[in-house]
Amino acid sequence: MIVSIEQHVDWIADCHDLSPRTGSRTIEATAEAQDAWVAHVNDVGHQTLYPLANSWYMGANVRAARVFMPYIGGVGVYRQKCDAVAAKGYEGFVLAP
């Protein structure tokens, strides 16, 4: 978890540094990007036994559709995906003033 949290802090700090250069004050994921990410996380998660369990990994502790919650594709792959989004101008996000 520490490695993942460190990556999250770095990514958000870099995103925050972008604000003065672009004049953006908000950033929000598009519905399409959110849906694509949830689908990817579930595709990767369903390659494991996690979906067979009734656990918080599958959202069993909340009243919602059963979806695989964490990204299990590996920290390195996750970092690459996040870095690619940033390199493409935060593709899948709307930056607004």
Side-chain angles (χ1 to χ4, degrees):
M1 293 303 263
I2 292 172
V3 174
S4 296
I5 291 168
E6 180 180 328
Q7 185 278 332
H8 292 154
V9 170
D10 290 344
W11 196 86
I12 290 179
D14 290 344
C15 182
H16 183 267
D17 289 346
L18 178 74
S19 181
R21 294 192 306 263
T22 64
S24 59
R25 294 179 47 91
T26 64
I27 181 170
E28 186 171 346
T30 65
E32 296 82 12
Q34 291 177 57
D35 291 345
W37 180 250
V38 170
H40 173 67
V41 169
N42 275 283
D43 288 345
V44 174
H46 280 82
Q47 295 176 28
T48 72
L49 295 175
Y50 282 107
L52 301 178
N54 193 24
S55 74
W56 72 269
Y57 283 104
M58 292 301 301
N61 60 325
V62 295
R63 290 186 190 182
R66 284 181 55 94
V67 295
F68 193 71
M69 305 298 264
Y71 185 66
I72 201 164
V75 174
V77 172
Y78 181 74
R79 181 178 289 273
Q80 290 172 351
K81 288 184 173 297
C82 290
D83 289 349
V85 165
K88 294 178 183 173
Y90 292 88
E91 179 181 55
F93 289 88
V94 175
L95 289 88

